Amino acid sequence: MASQTLYLLPTSLGEEDSATVLPAAYRDIVVPLRFFFVEEVRTARRFLRRIGFTADFDEVTFVPVNEHNRHLSLDEMLRQQELDSKRLPLQMGLLSEAGLPCIADPGASVVAWAHAHGLTVKPVCGPSSLFLALMASGLNGQCFAFQGYLPADPEGRKKRLLALEAYSRQHHQTQIFIETPYRNARLWETVVAVCRPETRFCVAKNLCMPQEEIRTMRIAEWKKAGPPAFHKENAVFLLLAD
Amino acid sequence: MASQTLYLLPTSLGEEDSATVLPAAYRDIVVPLRFFFVEEVRTARRFLRRIGFTADFDEVTFVPVNEHNRHLSLDEMLRQQELDSKRLPLQMGLLSEAGLPCIADPGASVVAWAHAHGLTVKPVCGPSSLFLALMASGLNGQCFAFQGYLPADPEGRKKRLLALEAYSRQHHQTQIFIETPYRNARLWETVVAVCRPETRFCVAKNLCMPQEEIRTMRIAEWKKAGPPAFHKENAVFLLLAD
């Protein structure tokens, strides 16, 4: 069992050229694998074909791990697929849906299971929109926190933003958060209405895509400039309060 | 000025094969550049040669940005190098010392300057030991914070650890921190002595190197197992309290 390895495999962020985001050695790592934990089988297969994985999919086992079965333990999930958790192949992959597995992504339960069963966990480099945004924001990269989604209800959202801004100010910590793409404009409006004028706010959209745009300005400047055009586009939001 | 671009360029984490960590297209991005902000010129030149940058270094401008001149504004730094901040090339690079620029790295001031001067900031994918460790830890990747170094003094360190653990527990937030390599053992001892027995603690060392090892266990299990062998090795530490 100690020689079993779980590779943590990033995928591209969208339809970008995978050569710009995946390591040169990525294909060599993936091509020999015949067993993948995935979020969705269809998109996993599409991605694999795109990066040059040519094996017949009839020879490949895909185990979906997503909101439909997450309430189960991994052993139960495997049993449901008629797989014996004691007789898995020596090399397995965990494919993310976009970007890095386990980062803003629910793959951690598979990794925790791997640790508990003594597998070697081998993370592979790839793109993370959170990190690309943080790098490019000009905000503090020596102390930062990723908060996921802010509350959906207006009062809860305002309260949370003020708390994050205060914490950011006290600890000089960059706050990173995300939003469902069709709600981007509403989030921008709330941040600009609620936060202090000198707080720095970055909107980073379409990372690694042709329409990539990363802009950092103080709230007072954003008020004058108005929102970026980002309806239904993937964006990452960051703030740092002085 | 709007057509000026600053590329944010990762470097390898150590002497690992760059094909395993840098995108396939990396060399194409770097090879045309003739102007680099760097932390240290010598290591930057060595890295560039290693990835196939063949231009004569006499044709390349290196601007060091490090603890020796960080108190200066970027415009002052450029003036010191007899460079006119209004007459810089259209394409420039910011090279990290290891991993991603601006993440656990002081490059953010260069990026902030770029934003203030209307440059396009283009982040390039590469390895981050923080993210590789987080992915591979099995801990929560949907809410996490990077804290940098803990206080050096024993009392301050203990107090900070307890505060981070309490915050982790309250917000289900993974805490990520680092240490100067020769102090790894002392940090491990403090964490294991101070934190709750059921808190999960990951030690991830030598990421992307042949001696890579990532282990996550509860504090009670670490107490039985004893410390890993990691003296003077690069490590990332993570904890998640239930």
Side-chain angles (χ1 to χ4, degrees), chain A residues 22 25-26 35 42 56 62 64 71 135 143 151 179 198 213:
Chain A
L22 296 176
Y26 186 91
F35 187 108
R42 198 175 46 90
D56 188 335
F62 291 96
H71 55 286
M135 281 162 71
C143 181
E179 178 57 285
E198 62 276 6
E213 200 182 291

Side-chain angles (χ1 to χ4, degrees), chain A residues 19 25 102 104 115 128 131 136 141 144 146, chain B residues 19 24-25 102 104 115 128 131 136 141 144 146:
Chain A
C102 312
H115 278 287
S128 158
F131 261 22
F144 59 86
F146 173 63
Chain B
C102 312
H115 279 287
S128 157
F131 262 21
F144 58 85
F146 172 61

Side-chain angles (χ1 to χ4, degrees), chain A residues 11 39-48 95-97:
Chain A
T11 59
E39 209 174 316
E40 220 223 293
V41 179
R42 198 175 46 90
T43 50
R45 286 183 181 194
R46 223 175 110 239
F47 170 76
L48 287 171
L95 261 178
S96 75
E97 188 68 2

